[in-house]
Amino acid sequence: MEASTCKQDVLQRKKNAVLVDGVILNGPITDSKAGEKFVEEACKIIMEEIIQKADDVTEKVCEWRDPETLKKILDLEMRDTGESHQKLLQLCQDVIQYSVKTNHPRFFNQLYAGIDYYSLVARFITEALNPSVYTYEVSPVFLLVEEAVIKKMIEFIGWEEGDGIFNPGGSVSNMYAMNLARYKFCPEIKEKGLSGLPRLVLFTSEECHYSMKKAASFLGIGTENVYFVKTDERGKMIPEELEKQVQRARKEGSAPFLVCATAGTTVLGAFDPLDKIADICEKYDLWLHVDASWGGSALISRKHRRLLRGIQRADSVAWNPHKMLLAGIQCCALLVKDNSGLLKKCYSAKAAYLFQQDKFYDVSYDTGDKSIQCSRRPDAFKFWLMWKALGTTGLEERVNRALALARYLVEEIKKREGFQLLLEPEYANVCFWYIPPSLRKMEDGPEFWQKLHRVAPVVKERMMKKGSMMLGYQPNQGKVNFFRQVVISPQDPTSRDIPTSHLQDDGMESLAGS
């Protein structure tokens, strides 16, 4: 009976079909019931395999497979016909199984980690709504949210007023700032381009993020015109060296226009002396941008905001809440002290089909014309919902706890044989060497350091293949490979055990001949 009814329905739809070029226009292109069922079952997998296991230290950080093996497991080929419901659910399972669990308590590999449940729900909402943030008419809630979040972030920097925009990454925020500083220096560049400009020069530290070179290349400034300023033994820009570089550029006939300071360098977690750098910028009339992508969240902490003393004197600031505050990738803001519409003047193209001036509402809320993007994600929403849930006090506690964990780890490293601290950290970057038993009695000298350089890559390989932990390493400032552990995850009850357990377990074997 049921089959007969279904057959009649199909025949009726065919009879009533509206055809254009052989395409039926009045029939569903997707099966909504099947789609809803798939979403429901996929969400159950996400809940069971990711969220509920986020704080389970017995799970692997990653299920390592080499690229060719993983290609076969995942069945990456796209075909003419779609896969079955069950096959798609299995693909979801496989993707989760073989992906790195960045919310695992022993993921210390990057400057982000952990899971915040409120920002995660915010991401579910925005992914389901699929908004684009450029005009109030299509994104009223998210534009107001972004405005509120930017206003609050500006308060923490210490500005009385300002402007800002959320971007797809701190690298893009740095590029925005560089271009904005150039526009302020020579506004005619927007119409006339590079041809009539003098040789522009910008200054940043040897420890800056690599995005500064990329931005200079992308914007046509040229990487040779990025002058790298010497840093001290802690990785901080030396103000006296900055002034020498500015004077050098002037003597060469170049046009200095920008200084980029760093608040929380990627490797050592160093904070440049912002007040002294601001003095030089004021003296030579240079735009001061602070890349606080990593360290900006210390502003939330009354205890640690001293690290960014002087940031209120900056002209622009990059700040990534997806790092220390766990707002979820990506959540990155460029904040600008100027409140005269400089962002919009620099980037506006006045698209008549989108930014009509005769709309029925206040068009000042159509903020998309101050972005280089058209489509733009509502990244501020996840930060906003998390902030609403935790309050400023909760965010402050998150920062304080991360830095306290880092301090605890430092003290444990000092107690343990085979561990040597690189330097006392001032942020959450804990840098150290692990010295295996085979090297502990070896004399300090070139051969020792040459062999120690090979230890970290081998130990990391073992940890990743076992799935026990992920921990970054790198050489820096002439120092051989060392580990950098970043302790920020709230799902991290075991940090204090890390130096004496997994590193020792995976590094005990003699590595001298590696």
Side-chain angles (χ1 to χ4, degrees):
M1 183 69 179
E2 188 175 331
S4 176
T5 303
C6 288
K7 187 175 182 181
Q8 287 176 1
D9 289 344
V10 171
L11 291 172
Q12 188 64 37
R13 283 200 299 271
K14 285 185 177 179
K15 184 178 178 181
N16 298 330
V18 177
L19 289 172
V20 176
D21 295 335
V23 178
I24 299 174
L25 300 185
N26 61 333
I29 194 169
T30 58
D31 184 339
S32 60
K33 293 298 181 186
E36 289 170 12
K37 184 67 173 174
F38 178 75
V39 171
E40 181 182 343
E41 293 186 17
C43 284
K44 184 180 178 184
I45 293 171
I46 292 169
M47 190 71 193
E48 292 175 352
E49 298 300 321
I50 301 177
I51 298 172
Q52 290 178 353
K53 294 180 178 179
D55 59 355
D56 188 348
V57 295
T58 66
E59 290 287 319
K60 290 185 176 183
V61 181
C62 65
E63 189 73 52
W64 175 259
R65 295 291 186 276
D66 65 77
E68 293 308 313
T69 302
L70 193 54
K71 285 178 186 178
K72 293 174 184 176
I73 292 172
L74 294 177
D75 183 21
L76 296 171
E77 182 67 28
M78 283 76 72
R79 300 179 176 87
D80 291 340
T81 56
E83 307 284 3
S84 70
H85 181 89
Q86 287 305 316
K87 176 67 182 294
L88 293 173
L89 289 174
Q90 184 57 52
L91 285 171
C92 291
Q93 289 269 18
D94 291 341
V95 166
I96 293 169
Q97 180 178 353
Y98 296 105
S99 291
V100 172
K101 311 305 186 294
T102 63
N103 49 22
H104 192 284
R106 288 173 179 156
F107 176 83
F108 304 105
N109 210 67
Q110 314 297 148
L111 301 182
Y112 66 90
I115 184 172
D116 177 84
Y117 302 106
Y118 305 103
S119 65
L120 180 61
V121 169
R123 281 182 276 172
F124 288 162
I125 291 170
T126 56
E127 288 299 320
L129 288 172
N130 195 34
S132 186
V133 184
Y134 38 65
T135 62
Y136 184 82
E137 64 185 281
V138 297
S139 199
V141 172
F142 299 120
L143 275 169
L144 295 180
V145 163
E146 183 174 59
E147 179 185 61
V149 170
I150 285 172
K151 181 180 179 182
K152 200 70 176 176
M153 294 174 82
I154 282 170
E155 287 179 18
F156 275 96
I157 290 173
W159 297 334
E160 293 183 2
E161 58 181 13
D163 197 1
I165 192 166
F166 274 74
N167 300 307
S171 294
V172 175
S173 293
N174 288 337
M175 185 185 74
Y176 262 86
M178 190 179 295
N179 194 50
L180 197 62
R182 183 173 64 175
Y183 175 78
K184 183 71 182 292
F185 183 78
C186 43
E188 64 275 13
I189 188 173
K190 184 173 179 180
E191 287 79 27
K192 296 183 180 179
L194 300 172
S195 57
L197 291 182
R199 181 190 174 214
L200 297 177
V201 170
L202 64 103
F203 311 89
T204 189
S205 87
E206 295 174 331
E207 293 291 302
C208 75
H209 191 260
Y210 66 87
S211 59
M212 297 308 295
K213 286 181 73 172
K214 287 197 171 190
S217 172
F218 183 83
L219 294 172
I221 292 170
T223 57
E224 289 185 359
N225 297 318
V226 180
Y227 283 22
F228 293 100
V229 181
K230 290 180 181 178
T231 56
D232 62 19
E233 68 282 354
R234 299 193 58 84
K236 298 171 180 285
M237 184 191 292
I238 302 171
E240 294 78 12
E241 294 295 328
L242 169 63
E243 186 160 22
K244 288 179 185 177
Q245 292 278 39
V246 174
Q247 292 171 347
R248 168 196 159 198
R250 284 187 158 191
K251 287 177 182 177
E252 292 171 348
S254 302
F257 76 104
L258 167 69
V259 173
C260 175
T262 309
T265 59
T266 304
V267 177
L268 300 179
F271 288 74
D272 288 340
L274 301 181
D275 259 330
K276 291 182 179 180
I277 292 170
D279 289 341
I280 295 169
C281 290
E282 288 178 6
K283 180 177 179 179
Y284 294 97
D285 194 22
L286 304 172
W287 182 286
L288 174 57
H289 171 64
V290 177
D291 178 6
S293 297
W294 173 219
S297 295
L299 290 168
I300 300 287
S301 167
R302 285 165 292 185
K303 182 177 182 180
H304 297 293
R305 64 174 293 118
R306 56 179 172 72
L307 292 168
L308 297 105
R309 186 177 291 112
I311 195 169
Q312 75 281 359
R313 299 174 67 186
D315 296 290
S316 58
V317 174
W319 178 359
N320 292 3
H322 77 228
K323 293 186 175 179
M324 175 68 76
L325 296 178
L326 316 181
I329 291 176
Q330 57 206 19
C331 190
C332 314
L334 173 71
L335 306 161
V336 182
K337 189 184 233 177
D338 184 285
N339 198 33
S340 68
L342 187 66
L343 264 172
K344 188 171 183 179
K345 291 172 190 174
C346 181
Y347 293 111
S348 173
K350 299 179 180 178
Y353 76 93
L354 194 59
F355 303 113
Q356 304 94 329
Q357 298 304 295
D358 54 358
K359 291 180 180 179
F360 61 93
Y361 59 84
D362 183 353
V363 295
S364 68
Y365 286 100
D366 290 354
T367 59
D369 216 13
K370 64 183 183 183
S371 167
I372 58 171
Q373 301 169 252
C374 182
S375 299
R376 195 164 61 89
R377 297 170 61 90
D379 292 324
F381 179 63
K382 52 198 164 191
F383 187 28
W384 176 82
L385 190 62
M386 181 180 75
W387 205 330
K388 293 285 281 185
L390 301 177
T392 302
T393 302
L395 296 180
E396 180 180 30
E397 182 182 357
R398 187 164 282 181
V399 174
N400 290 345
R401 182 179 184 276
L403 269 66
L405 276 170
R407 173 47 51 192
Y408 190 99
L409 178 60
V410 166
E411 296 307 314
E412 288 298 302
I413 285 173
K414 290 176 180 178
K415 297 175 187 176
R416 308 298 176 181
E417 185 181 9
F419 292 88
Q420 183 177 329
L421 199 65
L422 196 76
L423 76 172
E424 291 284 343
E426 59 179 342
Y427 204 44
N429 310 45
V430 181
C431 300
F432 60 92
W433 286 287
Y434 173 69
I435 305 169
S438 60
L439 298 182
R440 288 175 195 169
K441 294 182 180 180
M442 192 173 179
E443 287 186 13
D444 189 346
E447 186 181 0
F448 168 81
W449 292 107
Q450 185 181 33
K451 289 185 175 182
L452 186 60
H453 183 68
R454 296 197 292 264
V455 169
V458 175
V459 174
K460 174 157 186 170
E461 178 184 354
R462 290 174 182 166
M463 289 191 297
M464 286 198 65
K465 287 182 176 178
K466 286 171 60 177
S468 59
M469 185 166 68
M470 280 187 67
L471 187 61
Y473 74 85
Q474 63 284 302
N476 181 263
Q477 292 187 340
K479 296 179 175 65
V480 303
N481 280 329
F482 55 86
F483 288 106
R484 179 200 64 175
Q485 185 164 341
V486 181
V487 190
I488 58 175
S489 173
Q491 280 80 32
D492 181 29
T494 57
S495 307
R496 61 188 183 183
D497 301 324
I498 295 302
T500 58
S501 57
H502 293 286
L503 271 172
Q504 286 185 330
D505 291 344
D506 294 310
M508 283 296 289
E509 297 91 339
S510 174
L511 295 169
S514 299

